[in-house]
Amino acid sequence: MKKVRIGIIGAGRIGRVHAQSITNGIPQAEIVAISDPFMEAAKKAAETFGIPNTYSDYHEILNDPSINAVLICSPTNTHADIAMEAARAGKHIFCEKPIDTTVSKILETQKVIKESGVKMQIGFNRRFDHNFRRIRALTEEGKLGKVQIIKITSRDPEPPSPEYAKNSGGMFLDMTIHDFDMACFQAGSEVTEVFAVGAVTVDPEIGKAGDIDTAVITLRFENGAIAIIDNCRKAIYGYDQRVEVFGTNGSAIAENDTETTVKFSSKDSVCSDKPLYFFLERYMQSFGDEMRSFIDAIQNQTEVPVTIEDGLKPIKIAIAAKKSMLENRPVKLSEIQ
Amino acid sequence: MKKVRIGIIGAGRIGRVHAQSITNGIPQAEIVAISDPFMEAAKKAAETFGIPNTYSDYHEILNDPSINAVLICSPTNTHADIAMEAARAGKHIFCEKPIDTTVSKILETQKVIKESGVKMQIGFNRRFDHNFRRIRALTEEGKLGKVQIIKITSRDPEPPSPEYAKNSGGMFLDMTIHDFDMACFQAGSEVTEVFAVGAVTVDPEIGKAGDIDTAVITLRFENGAIAIIDNCRKAIYGYDQRVEVFGTNGSAIAENDTETTVKFSSKDSVCSDKPLYFFLERYMQSFGDEMRSFIDAIQNQTEVPVTIEDGLKPIKIAIAAKKSMLENRPVKLSEIQ
Amino acid sequence: MKKVRIGIIGAGRIGRVHAQSITNGIPQAEIVAISDPFMEAAKKAAETFGIPNTYSDYHEILNDPSINAVLICSPTNTHADIAMEAARAGKHIFCEKPIDTTVSKILETQKVIKESGVKMQIGFNRRFDHNFRRIRALTEEGKLGKVQIIKITSRDPEPPSPEYAKNSGGMFLDMTIHDFDMACFQAGSEVTEVFAVGAVTVDPEIGKAGDIDTAVITLRFENGAIAIIDNCRKAIYGYDQRVEVFGTNGSAIAENDTETTVKFSSKDSVCSDKPLYFFLERYMQSFGDEMRSFIDAIQNQTEVPVTIEDGLKPIKIAIAAKKSMLENRPVKLSEIQ
Amino acid sequence: MKKVRIGIIGAGRIGRVHAQSITNGIPQAEIVAISDPFMEAAKKAAETFGIPNTYSDYHEILNDPSINAVLICSPTNTHADIAMEAARAGKHIFCEKPIDTTVSKILETQKVIKESGVKMQIGFNRRFDHNFRRIRALTEEGKLGKVQIIKITSRDPEPPSPEYAKNSGGMFLDMTIHDFDMACFQAGSEVTEVFAVGAVTVDPEIGKAGDIDTAVITLRFENGAIAIIDNCRKAIYGYDQRVEVFGTNGSAIAENDTETTVKFSSKDSVCSDKPLYFFLERYMQSFGDEMRSFIDAIQNQTEVPVTIEDGLKPIKIAIAAKKSMLENRPVKLSEIQ
């Protein structure tokens, strides 16, 4: 089978993560170009991963007829526009989340994608995480029965700067969005209503910047399932990423991943490892697997596993959550257009 | 020190639990009488635990001047009235939860207790559970820092009959009340607002009886902590009783208790024990320890660890939760009088 | 059914443990007398447990025709003689381990017991431990298949005094004897050969007293199973009591018991409880269950679960282990007479 | 720094493992040639990993002056001879274990290596395993204190064919050799005496082939530590690879690695994953890290972490173990020349 020829748009951290996944573990694909307005970043990545072409302007990637697919790893506010351009250029698209922070722009993108006939996969990598995927599989195999309650714990090891918080679109769009997607993924159903409680318990400066750093969100689904998400921008013991799905036939709980399985018993206690440090450590396997799925979908002309529709839902939920928090009432998803 | 002389009012399951705790593990107390309208039940308990006197009418206990304290283990709707009579008779009181299902009756009882000067302890035994007490101790020692999020999972192994559900006052007053108390205990603060989501996912008959069997409740506390409780009347794997407290210095998680620590590795998987079957198995140690505390408070003339004020709070929260569910909005505790 | 009337010979720690088990949890038995050359000890125990009669001379117990059974909790070197006297007096016998430190004396006792027709149970309480019993049950149910390897870890929280070590008969007879019994219990077969390695790694004074404080022993069984025991007189993290049985269909591992299930995650690590402190904490449940079994055997005229033959085996293995260590060679059990 | 240019001798499974580690994760090295008498195997590997040169005769690799280092991944009986040739050709050597099954041949090799001045690292990859390395670090940091007891469990998921067993040099040289190395690594001391017990409990055909499939080995070390190894050729639940080190300040236990952390609670039990399937799954990270260390040692002209001396020790222990088993007595390592 012919290798899929890839162009990467954006040589920042996540662009390099995907470059590494492809270089080291996906022989079915090859990266032929990388672009970044900061040429230095593009060149450095090119050198590290042996990428032959570097550009400051991503249009050069779109204009290269030998390239089959692009990875959109640029800043969030450029995702939708680049995606539409790429679609019109006939490139398959892997786009980092979120597609956009507004519903209207995503709908516009969706229309263009549909017309162009290219594939578009959204970077909700956590769906590919070994632990969470296993839980979903247990549900799909019927081992958990009808899903009743979903619990997602998602806490970061360190808060962002207040400045970052200010420009992030708010914690729900920046951080919880992954958990909204995870809830949808595990529920296998549509969210109907959202109730969100937010607080500032970590850094008052984040509060002054107009954001929150702690939240508890309740989601109701069409199929009757209820999801609870709890978030905090800082857990002193590290990146806390757990999921529980409780159903009529059983429950499945994913504990944190750790570097080792060693238990150390001393005079004081029996200790084991803290969670893996942050998302690069915790989710590296999932980044590789989402990319592998994308390449597979292109080569085998199958459906991508995370569609633009999947990308839209968490945005709507995040907007509803913010509205719920501000108005202190449950918000129906149908209120969000 | 003189033994505390006890009369037990009610020879049902919980009355016998306390009789057993005292007989087998609290030499500082002796049970001198037990009463029950069903004399058979009283006599059976008397025989099992070597209790010298049995009555069908609890007033005989109240009239016995040699008795120092009574355990009110009668049906819920009699708790407050018996407590007031006992207080007027100068008996210290251990009263099963809930004191009453109305705020006004509890306030009336509180007034009488205060005037009479007797001690009154409420039977929120889970505060004495080895696991949950440890978590609270970690908070009090400052090891968890400022409490941010509390998570309580409380699921029963088997649902009650629809008929029971009908007469129980509803799941919040019957089942979640323990979790409301646990949340208050772990938070060390006052609830200000409640948001409750309920569903029928276990038994449609319970729904027809006007109750729910599944719920997720969010509580906000004065000190900024947020608590999440999830309940289900049936977990197929058994009695699921877990608590997590997350604070600025760390988190503490209490897993379920099990009968053994044995892990069995077979061709198929690595298995360990299911949780202990139900509350009698799971909380027997806590029943003993709450009674020990009650006897200690009498002998040493100290404050009881669970006061009538502690007994009132979960009632108000339960009423607020029901209102929140019915009106689908967050309800402030100040709305409940 | 008539209550079994018990006399306890020896009011030391283990005598009081049994008194407590019976008083608090075995209504089928009542303790009618306790004896101890130190009358103070006997009186104190009598007061604590409400025992009506106290004697300095145990013969008064043997001479009381109303007494059905005795618990021999006196010093080791008196066990066999008292057991023989008790048998001749027609009392059923519960005898603490070891029966004696010589094979000949045990055989003599065995003969007397047989002739007298009384029941005699040996105090190998660990067979009744919830964890270890579960493992044995898995074997008996066929879930582990044919037993191949047994691993027993047994480490104390604190070493004995060198003086104690000197008079203990040596670590194998004093400490490992429980593990030899456990190995036999789990193997369901006879030991054929023993190889023991000993060392002094904890306290040089124990070495000067002629004993060891650390050992690794390999046992071979008739049925082909191999057992490994590792012992140390001091584990800084506490009483380490684990058993693993590996067979052709699976393996079962019993981890240590702990006071709580709480995991505390902090800046530094994720910590859980150390093992329960020592044998009184760890094995209290087993002490109760062995006594319950003894009373059952008397009331229902069934076989006791730990016979004098079971009591003899670990003695022979301990003697073989010592010989193996001193001669640095595997010793066949048939060499020990 | 200049890339280390590598030639791989042997395109079998382990050769391909190293090729993959280097290609995907060690940019400091490049593989320039691979040889195998079966040209097909060499060509297939070359294609998979983009290796420019393939040879049927490894001498072509030795004769290529541009190659700095060779990986000897050929059959065991060729290791020593190729290593000596490579050393004489001035190539650094990474040699799979065992170097040879005789002491004399290893000593001869050692002499040649020493004279030639090249580096030689032995493929005891398990020293690089994340879990076992952590335990060793705890010892080196003094957290475990003085090592007293080492316990190594090593069981395979499937037995080899009787034919393989016949030609393997016996289980001690073929399988336990890794555990002997692990014991030395964890003890940080020299073995003085070995006692081995072997049995056939898995497959009688292995017994007929003159080998065993189950063993328990006791090792004594100069520093007083005692190690216990238990082996079985078949554990029905999978590849069981655990290590425990017990010392005067604490103990450290490495549990098995699993694919996920998911616990599934059902009507029947609470289940978690079985161990990772076999050594390719379990030890892939360690294969990469040992290779990284080898490349580092060449580039930075430092000592290799596993020397030819380290490679000799387990051979001597294995020979002693076999002698011990056959003669049923402890064998001093000084008896093995």
Side-chain angles (χ1 to χ4, degrees):
Chain A
M1 210 173 282
K2 256 183 63 185
K3 283 197 182 196
V4 175
R5 293 172 58 85
I6 302 270
I8 300 179
I9 296 170
R13 188 167 53 179
I14 194 66
R16 291 198 306 274
V17 163
H18 294 313
Q20 186 181 339
S21 292
I22 294 169
T23 308
N24 292 352
I26 312 182
Q28 296 82 357
E30 64 178 317
I31 310 168
V32 296
I34 187 163
S35 74
D36 201 293
F38 300 93
M39 253 323 245
E40 278 309 298
K43 281 194 172 152
K44 189 144 182 289
E47 190 182 9
T48 306
F49 301 106
I51 303 171
N53 303 297
T54 52
Y55 308 116
S56 62
D57 183 347
Y58 68 85
H59 291 95
E60 305 223 32
I61 286 177
L62 299 187
N63 292 337
D64 179 344
S66 85
I67 287 179
N68 312 116
V70 295
L71 315 185
I72 303 178
C73 307
S74 53
T76 293
N77 60 0
T78 69
H79 287 177
D81 286 332
I82 297 180
M84 288 186 279
E85 286 186 82
R88 287 175 183 128
K91 311 299 187 202
H92 297 300
I93 299 159
F94 179 94
C95 181
E96 273 307 317
K97 41 102 321 212
I99 307 169
D100 196 79
T101 57
T102 66
V103 172
S104 58
K105 194 78 179 240
I106 299 176
L107 291 174
E108 185 191 343
T109 309
Q110 186 180 26
K111 194 160 163 284
V112 174
I113 296 297
K114 217 161 192 176
E115 287 165 3
S116 67
V118 300
K119 292 178 190 307
M120 180 166 176
Q121 181 172 329
I122 311 305
F124 281 117
N125 61 293
R126 295 188 194 174
R127 291 186 176 216
F128 298 85
D129 176 69
H130 58 140
N131 295 327
F132 306 151
R133 186 165 57 185
R134 170 71 61 81
I135 293 182
R136 181 62 190 152
L138 287 168
T139 303
E140 288 180 349
E141 293 159 12
K143 291 198 175 142
L144 296 180
K146 190 171 168 301
V147 173
Q148 296 162 290
I149 297 173
I150 296 165
K151 294 172 75 174
I152 298 172
T153 293
S154 177
R155 303 173 189 153
D156 283 353
E158 291 293 342
S161 66
E163 196 164 336
Y164 175 91
K166 199 175 216 155
N167 300 312
S168 67
M171 193 174 78
F172 295 136
L173 270 166
D174 183 58
M175 176 180 175
T176 324
I177 193 153
H178 273 297
D179 307 309
F180 293 138
D181 180 63
M182 182 53 59
C184 294
F185 175 58
Q186 296 292 353
S189 178
E190 301 296 316
V191 168
T192 57
E193 200 172 82
V194 180
F195 179 72
V197 166
V200 178
T201 68
V202 173
D203 183 355
E205 294 301 316
I206 288 177
K208 286 183 197 159
D211 201 2
I212 54 169
D213 53 31
T214 308
V216 164
I217 305 109
T218 307
L219 305 176
R220 303 198 72 156
F221 287 88
E222 262 181 16
N223 65 3
I226 305 168
I228 320 167
I229 297 165
D230 75 274
N231 280 161
C232 192
R233 284 290 199 178
K234 180 180 174 73
I236 204 167
Y237 53 87
Y239 195 43
D240 195 347
Q241 298 284 304
R242 288 172 287 149
V243 168
E244 172 176 353
V245 173
F246 168 73
T248 47
N249 287 345
S251 92
I253 298 180
E255 300 289 347
N256 286 306
D257 280 351
T258 56
E259 193 184 321
T260 78
T261 64
V262 175
K263 282 190 306 179
F264 169 48
S265 299
S266 70
K267 190 164 53 63
D268 301 316
S269 61
V270 175
C271 287
S272 49
D273 283 15
K274 295 195 297 177
L276 290 176
Y277 179 61
F278 210 170
F279 70 94
L280 288 181
E281 291 79 13
R282 173 66 175 82
Y283 288 119
M284 190 49 84
Q285 160 267 326
S286 72
F287 287 123
D289 281 350
E290 69 173 355
M291 197 48 64
R292 211 163 280 119
S293 286
F294 177 60
I295 301 301
D296 282 357
I298 295 172
Q299 285 201 321
N300 302 311
Q301 296 180 304
T302 55
E303 177 77 355
V304 292
V306 193
T307 65
I308 190 166
E309 287 73 29
D310 293 322
L312 173 58
K313 287 172 197 172
I315 301 293
K316 291 176 87 166
I317 301 170
I319 294 168
K322 192 164 187 181
K323 193 177 180 66
S324 168
M325 179 178 69
L326 294 175
E327 304 179 6
N328 195 27
R329 66 171 182 92
V331 169
K332 293 208 184 309
L333 215 66
S334 56
E335 299 180 41
I336 311 303
Q337 299 301 342
Chain B
M1 207 171 284
K2 257 182 62 186
K3 283 197 179 192
V4 176
R5 292 171 61 83
I6 302 269
I8 301 179
I9 296 169
R13 188 165 55 179
I14 194 68
R16 290 197 307 272
V17 164
H18 294 312
Q20 186 180 341
S21 292
I22 294 170
T23 307
N24 292 352
I26 313 183
Q28 296 82 0
E30 62 179 316
I31 310 169
V32 296
I34 186 163
S35 73
D36 201 292
F38 300 95
M39 254 321 245
E40 278 311 297
K43 282 194 172 152
K44 189 144 184 287
E47 189 182 11
T48 306
F49 301 107
I51 303 172
N53 303 297
T54 51
Y55 307 117
S56 61
D57 183 348
Y58 67 86
H59 290 95
E60 306 223 30
I61 287 179
L62 300 187
N63 292 336
D64 178 344
S66 84
I67 288 180
N68 312 117
V70 296
L71 315 184
I72 302 178
C73 305
S74 52
T76 292
N77 60 1
T78 69
H79 286 179
D81 287 331
I82 297 179
M84 288 186 278
E85 286 185 82
R88 287 177 183 130
K91 312 298 188 201
H92 298 300
I93 299 159
F94 179 93
C95 182
E96 271 308 317
K97 41 101 327 212
I99 308 170
D100 195 81
T101 56
T102 67
V103 173
S104 57
K105 193 79 179 239
I106 299 176
L107 291 174
E108 185 192 342
T109 309
Q110 186 180 26
K111 196 160 160 284
V112 173
I113 297 296
K114 218 164 193 172
E115 287 164 5
S116 67
V118 300
K119 293 178 189 305
M120 179 165 176
Q121 179 172 329
I122 312 306
F124 280 118
N125 62 293
R126 295 188 194 175
R127 291 185 176 216
F128 297 84
D129 177 69
H130 59 138
N131 295 326
F132 305 152
R133 186 164 58 183
R134 170 71 61 81
I135 293 182
R136 181 61 191 154
L138 287 166
T139 303
E140 288 180 350
E141 294 160 11
K143 291 200 174 139
L144 296 180
K146 189 172 168 303
V147 173
Q148 296 162 291
I149 297 172
I150 296 165
K151 293 172 75 174
I152 297 171
T153 293
S154 177
R155 303 172 189 153
D156 283 353
E158 290 294 343
S161 66
E163 195 165 336
Y164 175 91
K166 201 173 215 155
N167 299 313
S168 68
M171 193 174 79
F172 295 137
L173 270 166
D174 182 59
M175 175 179 176
T176 325
I177 193 152
H178 273 298
D179 307 309
F180 292 139
D181 180 63
M182 182 54 58
C184 293
F185 175 60
Q186 296 292 350
S189 177
E190 301 295 316
V191 167
T192 57
E193 200 172 85
V194 180
F195 179 72
V197 166
V200 178
T201 68
V202 173
D203 182 357
E205 294 301 317
I206 288 177
K208 286 184 198 159
D211 201 3
I212 54 169
D213 53 30
T214 309
V216 164
I217 306 109
T218 307
L219 306 176
R220 305 199 71 157
F221 288 88
E222 262 181 15
N223 66 2
I226 306 168
I228 321 167
I229 296 164
D230 75 275
N231 281 159
C232 192
R233 284 290 200 179
K234 181 181 174 71
I236 203 167
Y237 53 89
Y239 195 44
D240 196 347
Q241 299 284 305
R242 288 172 288 148
V243 168
E244 172 174 356
V245 174
F246 168 72
T248 48
N249 287 346
S251 91
I253 298 180
E255 299 289 348
N256 286 307
D257 281 351
T258 55
E259 192 183 321
T260 79
T261 65
V262 174
K263 284 190 307 178
F264 169 48
S265 298
S266 71
K267 189 166 52 69
D268 302 313
S269 62
V270 176
C271 288
S272 47
D273 282 14
K274 295 195 298 176
L276 290 178
Y277 178 61
F278 210 170
F279 69 96
L280 288 182
E281 293 77 16
R282 174 65 176 83
Y283 288 119
M284 190 50 82
Q285 160 267 325
S286 72
F287 287 122
D289 282 349
E290 69 173 352
M291 198 48 63
R292 212 164 279 120
S293 286
F294 177 59
I295 301 300
D296 282 357
I298 294 172
Q299 286 200 320
N300 303 308
Q301 295 179 305
T302 55
E303 177 76 354
V304 293
V306 193
T307 64
I308 190 166
E309 287 73 29
D310 293 323
L312 174 58
K313 287 172 195 173
I315 301 292
K316 291 175 86 166
I317 302 170
I319 294 168
K322 192 163 187 181
K323 193 176 178 67
S324 169
M325 179 177 70
L326 293 175
E327 303 179 7
N328 196 26
R329 65 171 182 93
V331 169
K332 292 208 186 308
L333 216 66
S334 55
E335 300 180 41
I336 309 304
Q337 300 301 341
Chain C
M1 209 173 284
K2 256 181 64 184
K3 284 196 180 195
V4 175
R5 293 171 59 86
I6 301 271
I8 302 180
I9 297 170
R13 186 165 55 180
I14 193 68
R16 290 197 307 272
V17 163
H18 294 313
Q20 187 180 339
S21 293
I22 293 170
T23 306
N24 292 352
I26 312 183
Q28 295 82 0
E30 64 178 314
I31 310 170
V32 296
I34 187 163
S35 74
D36 201 293
F38 300 95
M39 254 321 246
E40 277 310 297
K43 282 193 171 152
K44 189 144 184 287
E47 190 183 9
T48 306
F49 300 107
I51 303 171
N53 304 296
T54 51
Y55 308 115
S56 63
D57 184 346
Y58 67 86
H59 290 94
E60 306 222 30
I61 287 178
L62 301 187
N63 292 336
D64 179 342
S66 83
I67 289 179
N68 311 117
V70 296
L71 315 184
I72 302 178
C73 304
S74 52
T76 293
N77 60 1
T78 69
H79 287 178
D81 287 332
I82 297 179
M84 288 186 279
E85 286 185 82
R88 286 177 183 129
K91 312 299 189 202
H92 297 300
I93 299 159
F94 180 93
C95 181
E96 273 307 316
K97 43 98 326 209
I99 308 170
D100 195 81
T101 56
T102 67
V103 173
S104 58
K105 193 79 179 241
I106 300 176
L107 291 175
E108 187 192 340
T109 309
Q110 186 180 26
K111 197 161 160 284
V112 173
I113 297 297
K114 217 163 192 171
E115 287 165 5
S116 67
V118 300
K119 293 178 189 306
M120 180 166 178
Q121 180 172 330
I122 312 305
F124 280 117
N125 61 293
R126 295 188 194 174
R127 291 186 176 215
F128 297 85
D129 177 69
H130 58 140
N131 295 326
F132 305 152
R133 187 164 57 183
R134 170 71 60 81
I135 294 183
R136 181 60 191 154
L138 286 167
T139 304
E140 288 180 349
E141 293 159 11
K143 291 199 176 140
L144 296 180
K146 191 172 167 301
V147 174
Q148 295 162 291
I149 297 173
I150 296 165
K151 294 172 75 175
I152 298 171
T153 293
S154 177
R155 301 170 190 155
D156 284 352
E158 291 294 343
S161 65
E163 196 165 333
Y164 176 90
K166 201 175 215 153
N167 300 313
S168 68
M171 193 174 79
F172 294 137
L173 270 166
D174 183 60
M175 176 179 175
T176 325
I177 194 154
H178 273 297
D179 308 308
F180 292 139
D181 180 62
M182 182 53 59
C184 292
F185 175 59
Q186 296 291 351
S189 177
E190 302 294 315
V191 168
T192 56
E193 200 172 83
V194 180
F195 179 72
V197 166
V200 178
T201 70
V202 174
D203 183 356
E205 294 301 316
I206 289 178
K208 285 183 197 158
D211 201 1
I212 54 169
D213 53 32
T214 308
V216 165
I217 305 109
T218 307
L219 305 176
R220 305 199 70 156
F221 288 88
E222 260 180 16
N223 66 2
I226 306 169
I228 321 167
I229 297 164
D230 75 274
N231 281 161
C232 192
R233 285 289 201 179
K234 181 181 174 69
I236 203 166
Y237 53 88
Y239 195 44
D240 197 346
Q241 298 284 304
R242 288 173 288 148
V243 168
E244 172 176 355
V245 173
F246 167 73
T248 47
N249 287 347
S251 91
I253 298 180
E255 298 290 348
N256 285 307
D257 280 351
T258 55
E259 193 184 320
T260 78
T261 64
V262 175
K263 283 190 306 178
F264 169 49
S265 298
S266 70
K267 190 165 53 64
D268 301 315
S269 62
V270 176
C271 287
S272 48
D273 283 14
K274 296 194 296 176
L276 290 176
Y277 179 60
F278 209 170
F279 69 94
L280 288 182
E281 292 78 15
R282 174 65 174 84
Y283 288 119
M284 191 51 81
Q285 160 266 326
S286 72
F287 286 123
D289 282 349
E290 70 173 353
M291 197 50 62
R292 210 162 282 120
S293 287
F294 177 59
I295 301 300
D296 283 357
I298 294 172
Q299 285 201 321
N300 302 310
Q301 296 180 304
T302 56
E303 177 76 354
V304 293
V306 192
T307 63
I308 190 166
E309 287 73 31
D310 293 322
L312 173 59
K313 287 172 195 173
I315 301 292
K316 292 176 87 166
I317 301 170
I319 294 168
K322 192 162 188 182
K323 193 176 179 69
S324 168
M325 179 178 69
L326 293 174
E327 303 179 5
N328 196 26
R329 66 172 181 89
V331 169
K332 292 206 185 311
L333 215 67
S334 55
E335 298 181 42
I336 309 304
Q337 299 301 342
Chain D
M1 207 171 285
K2 257 181 63 185
K3 283 197 181 195
V4 176
R5 292 172 59 84
I6 302 272
I8 300 179
I9 296 169
R13 188 166 53 179
I14 194 67
R16 291 197 306 272
V17 163
H18 295 313
Q20 187 181 338
S21 292
I22 294 169
T23 308
N24 292 352
I26 311 181
Q28 296 83 358
E30 64 179 313
I31 310 168
V32 296
I34 187 163
S35 74
D36 201 293
F38 300 93
M39 256 318 248
E40 277 310 297
K43 281 194 170 150
K44 189 144 183 287
E47 190 183 9
T48 306
F49 301 106
I51 303 170
N53 303 297
T54 51
Y55 306 117
S56 63
D57 184 348
Y58 67 87
H59 290 95
E60 304 223 33
I61 286 178
L62 300 188
N63 292 336
D64 179 342
S66 85
I67 287 179
N68 311 117
V70 296
L71 314 184
I72 303 179
C73 306
S74 52
T76 293
N77 61 359
T78 69
H79 287 177
D81 286 333
I82 297 179
M84 289 186 277
E85 285 186 83
R88 285 176 183 127
K91 311 300 189 203
H92 297 299
I93 299 158
F94 178 94
C95 182
E96 271 309 316
K97 43 101 322 209
I99 309 170
D100 196 80
T101 55
T102 67
V103 173
S104 57
K105 194 76 178 244
I106 299 176
L107 292 174
E108 186 191 342
T109 309
Q110 185 181 28
K111 194 159 162 284
V112 173
I113 297 297
K114 215 159 194 177
E115 287 165 4
S116 67
V118 300
K119 293 179 189 306
M120 180 165 176
Q121 179 172 330
I122 311 305
F124 281 118
N125 61 294
R126 295 188 193 175
R127 292 184 175 216
F128 297 85
D129 176 70
H130 59 140
N131 295 327
F132 306 151
R133 185 164 58 184
R134 169 71 61 81
I135 294 182
R136 181 60 191 153
L138 286 168
T139 303
E140 288 179 348
E141 294 160 11
K143 291 198 174 140
L144 295 181
K146 189 171 168 302
V147 174
Q148 296 163 289
I149 297 173
I150 296 164
K151 293 172 76 174
I152 298 171
T153 293
S154 177
R155 302 170 190 155
D156 283 354
E158 289 294 341
S161 66
E163 196 164 333
Y164 175 91
K166 200 174 215 156
N167 299 313
S168 68
M171 192 175 78
F172 294 136
L173 271 165
D174 182 59
M175 175 180 176
T176 324
I177 193 152
H178 273 297
D179 307 307
F180 292 138
D181 180 62
M182 182 52 59
C184 293
F185 175 58
Q186 297 292 352
S189 176
E190 301 296 315
V191 168
T192 57
E193 201 171 83
V194 180
F195 179 71
V197 165
V200 178
T201 69
V202 174
D203 183 356
E205 294 301 316
I206 288 178
K208 286 183 196 158
D211 201 1
I212 54 170
D213 52 32
T214 308
V216 165
I217 306 110
T218 306
L219 305 176
R220 305 198 70 157
F221 288 88
E222 261 181 15
N223 65 2
I226 307 168
I228 320 167
I229 297 164
D230 76 273
N231 282 159
C232 191
R233 285 291 199 180
K234 180 180 176 71
I236 205 167
Y237 54 88
Y239 195 44
D240 196 347
Q241 298 284 303
R242 289 172 288 148
V243 169
E244 172 176 354
V245 174
F246 168 73
T248 48
N249 288 346
S251 92
I253 298 180
E255 299 289 349
N256 285 308
D257 281 351
T258 55
E259 194 183 320
T260 79
T261 64
V262 174
K263 282 190 306 178
F264 169 47
S265 298
S266 70
K267 191 165 51 67
D268 301 315
S269 61
V270 176
C271 288
S272 48
D273 282 14
K274 295 194 299 176
L276 291 176
Y277 179 60
F278 209 170
F279 69 96
L280 288 181
E281 292 79 14
R282 173 66 176 82
Y283 289 118
M284 191 50 83
Q285 159 268 328
S286 73
F287 287 123
D289 282 348
E290 70 173 354
M291 198 48 64
R292 211 163 280 120
S293 286
F294 177 60
I295 301 301
D296 282 357
I298 295 171
Q299 285 200 321
N300 302 310
Q301 295 180 306
T302 55
E303 177 77 353
V304 293
V306 193
T307 65
I308 190 167
E309 287 74 28
D310 294 321
L312 174 57
K313 287 171 197 173
I315 301 292
K316 291 175 86 166
I317 301 170
I319 294 168
K322 191 163 187 181
K323 194 177 178 68
S324 168
M325 179 178 69
L326 295 174
E327 303 179 6
N328 195 26
R329 66 172 180 91
V331 168
K332 292 205 185 311
L333 215 67
S334 56
E335 299 181 42
I336 310 304
Q337 300 300 343

